[in-house]
Amino acid sequence: MTVISILTRLDTLCKKYEKYDLEKQGGAQDSSNDAFLKLYKLMESDIEAALQKSSDASIEKNRAAVATLNAEVRRAKASMRNEISHLQKLAHKKVKGVTKEELAARPDIVLGLVGKIEAIPEGTIMGIKPKGGKPPAIPFEIKMDGVNPEDLIHPEQYQDTEESKGFREVVQKKKGKQDEGLEVISEGLETLKNMAQDINEELSRQVPLVEEIDSKVDKAALDLGNTNIRLKDTITKLRSSRNFCIDIVLMCVVLGIAGYLYK
Amino acid sequence: MNYEKLKDAEKMLKEANKLTKLSFARWSADWAEATPLYEQAGLAFKLAKETAKAKEAFEKAAMGQERLLSPWQAAKHMEAAGGLAKELGNWTEVADFYKRACELYAESGKPQPGADALARGARALEDAVPDEAVRLYLDSCAILEEEDKEQLAFDTYRAATNLYLKLQRCMWLWSRFEDAANMLLRWGLAADKCKAIQSQCKAYLSAIITYLYAQDLKQAEQCHVDCTQIDVFLQSEQNACAEKLLQAYREADPEEIKYVVSKSSTIQHLDHMIIRLAKQLPTGDMKAIASASGNIQDNELDVNNCIC
């Protein structure tokens, strides 16, 4: 019995006896009334997923995959931050079946959740090794998320500093080098294009000649075949057994005459 | 061993001559016997470097093949004789032999090898009698055009154009430029018939450059106007290059001309003779050229005004 068949059987059994599953029933009943709990559970599962992704990113060797995973983690954190405000509103609502102490504890739970979200590692760029002669690593963490409300409060972050000016110059130089490289490539491509067009014309010139050769060779092959057949017929006629016998008989006659004459 | 082969060849030639010479005893020449002897003798003389005798043998062999109603073989022998005549320096004979070979090829129903034969003859005569060579090139192109085989004429056109430009360099006759440009335009026409767009546009651009080199801006512009009537050329990058060049000429700016020529990859892919011309642009006095074309235009305007 394979693992897969065991699993499928398990699934069918569970589905069959679902109605006896108290925990699920109880949970479903609770969540149908309590939007806070629903959202809380959702956010917990999202945090789990984000943590999983970030641990994968730390193990992953392929840089592109690491970058993608980090970007996904950051996106998840941003969406969760947006949900937190909604959760905070729900935390203050009165819900049936929830005690007063539990209600009072909900805002703390929310804050705990916020802490958990912020704690998820998202692979910042602090790990760049500074190479000799280049300016140090980017001073500000590059935020790929939406507008952070903190940025609006602290606009000084976007003013030019010496470091950022230096960085801009480096970027311009690199762009210049890229442009030079691209020019070289474009020249090469133009040469290739011209050569390809000339080859194209030459080939179209050769096409009718090759077709003519083809038809002439076909004709010659046909003629050869015919000639071979005729040759074969002629040879068989020449060397037919009847002629052979006649030749032998005549030769015997000649020999006989010669022998008689010598005698 | 060479000496023996030479002796054999002489013997064969004598034998063949005897067979073909009409005399009291012989009323008709035996070409069937004589022709193979002539061919072998010719080959042997050629190997022994007896050019004159080889040429004579091949001539007779060609005549024999003609009498034997085999014009193809006759043409081949005529070409061989022509090649040998070139080595001897008999230029008139060279031209005659190759022309006869072409006729024989045409007789045998294959005009294209005839055109090739004329082109080969022209190449042989290029250095010695260039005018005759040019005539042969033109005849060759004409034959191929009649047979709708213009694509095969491209090489001949190129050779003829190069010859004209070479002649101009040696003799410094301005008319040669016009001839060269005409040849290029004919080349463009042939390319148009067989839809060889790349060659066509290159030919037109080369013609414009040739006119500019000849310091004839007016002709160059007229040529450009004519060529732009053709859609294919209008949309090509060769046209863009030509426009830039003519604009630079109108502004009489030598630096701009040199810049256009050096930066343009289109010009770098033309024939090497044309590239050489282009690199020497601008020739002559820019202002004189620009004003010459400008004055002529002004005169035309005045005439129009008078009529109005």
Side-chain angles (χ1 to χ4, degrees), chain A residues 37 97-107 109:
Chain A
L37 270 177
V98 177
T99 58
K100 276 191 184 162
E101 291 93 9
E102 275 183 37
L103 261 175
R106 278 188 181 179
I109 296 171

Side-chain angles (χ1 to χ4, degrees), chain B residues 8-140:
Chain B
D8 286 336
E10 298 260 2
K11 238 186 359 188
M12 280 192 275
L13 189 62
K14 245 188 230 169
E15 180 74 32
N17 277 337
K18 249 197 319 191
L19 285 167
T20 52
K21 201 167 168 185
L22 295 173
S23 63
F24 194 66
R26 193 182 286 280
W27 289 75
S28 66
D30 188 3
W31 285 108
E33 292 266 344
T35 313
L37 288 170
Y38 276 128
E39 283 169 14
Q40 283 170 24
L43 276 167
F45 279 128
K46 194 172 166 189
L47 284 168
K49 309 276 184 212
E50 290 278 337
T51 326
K53 290 197 180 142
K55 178 180 74 92
E56 201 190 303
F58 274 121
E59 256 189 89
K60 293 265 171 68
M63 213 185 315
Q65 291 285 7
E66 243 190 285
R67 301 281 163 88
L68 294 172
L69 303 172
S70 172
W72 174 265
Q73 295 289 350
K76 281 210 133 37
H77 292 317
M78 266 296 167
E79 270 206 69
L84 291 163
K86 177 198 165 191
E87 280 177 42
L88 287 173
N90 291 344
W91 307 117
T92 39
E93 274 194 349
V94 170
D96 289 333
F97 286 157
Y98 276 108
K99 278 189 203 158
R100 184 81 195 112
C102 173
E103 283 166 25
L104 287 164
Y105 277 125
E107 257 180 54
S108 68
K110 294 184 175 125
Q112 183 202 317
D116 287 339
L118 282 179
R120 280 193 282 268
R123 201 163 300 133
L125 290 171
E126 255 184 20
D127 294 321
V129 192
D131 290 324
E132 187 63 33
V134 156
R135 250 184 297 246
L136 288 176
Y137 275 132
L138 289 173
D139 290 338
S140 168

Side-chain angles (χ1 to χ4, degrees), chain A residues 47 70 142 182 223 241:
Chain A
I47 292 173
N70 284 338
I142 293 177
L182 284 172
D223 286 340
S241 42

Side-chain angles (χ1 to χ4, degrees), chain A residues 128-248:
Chain A
I128 292 179
K129 292 181 213 154
K131 290 186 190 160
K134 283 200 181 157
I138 307 155
F140 305 114
E141 191 184 320
I142 293 177
K143 293 193 196 300
M144 310 278 261
D145 325 333
V147 178
N148 205 340
E150 295 170 8
D151 290 346
L152 293 170
I153 304 166
H154 303 287
E156 309 84 73
Q157 287 182 358
Y158 294 105
Q159 278 174 4
D160 279 341
T161 62
E162 279 178 23
E163 283 168 339
S164 73
K165 273 189 199 152
F167 183 63
R168 250 186 258 279
E169 276 175 24
V170 165
V171 163
Q172 294 295 342
K173 272 188 206 157
K174 296 261 170 167
K175 274 194 188 168
K177 275 200 187 146
Q178 266 186 2
D179 285 340
E180 280 172 24
L182 284 172
E183 285 258 358
V184 169
I185 292 173
S186 90
E187 272 173 45
L189 278 175
E190 276 202 66
T191 316
L192 275 173
K193 182 187 100 164
N194 271 297
M195 279 167 60
Q197 280 174 329
D198 287 337
I199 291 171
N200 188 20
E201 277 190 6
E202 189 62 40
L203 280 174
S204 56
R205 209 195 326 174
Q206 305 285 350
V207 158
L209 297 175
V210 166
E211 279 174 7
E212 218 181 295
I213 290 175
D214 194 29
S215 59
K216 282 191 181 162
V217 163
D218 284 339
K219 191 163 157 272
L222 207 65
D223 286 340
L224 257 173
N226 288 341
T227 313
N228 276 343
I229 292 172
R230 281 187 5 226
L231 197 62
K232 200 172 160 192
D233 285 338
T234 318
I235 287 176
T236 39
K237 257 195 240 168
L238 274 174
R239 293 233 178 146
S240 66
S241 42
R242 202 179 64 156
N243 287 353
F244 238 16
C245 294
I246 293 172
D247 289 339
I248 289 171

Side-chain angles (χ1 to χ4, degrees), chain A residues 80-94:
Chain A
M80 278 193 275
R81 283 193 199 107
N82 291 337
E83 294 288 310
I84 283 286
S85 50
H86 189 53
L87 193 66
Q88 278 169 341
K89 274 189 221 158
L90 284 172
H92 294 292
K93 270 196 192 161
K94 281 194 184 162

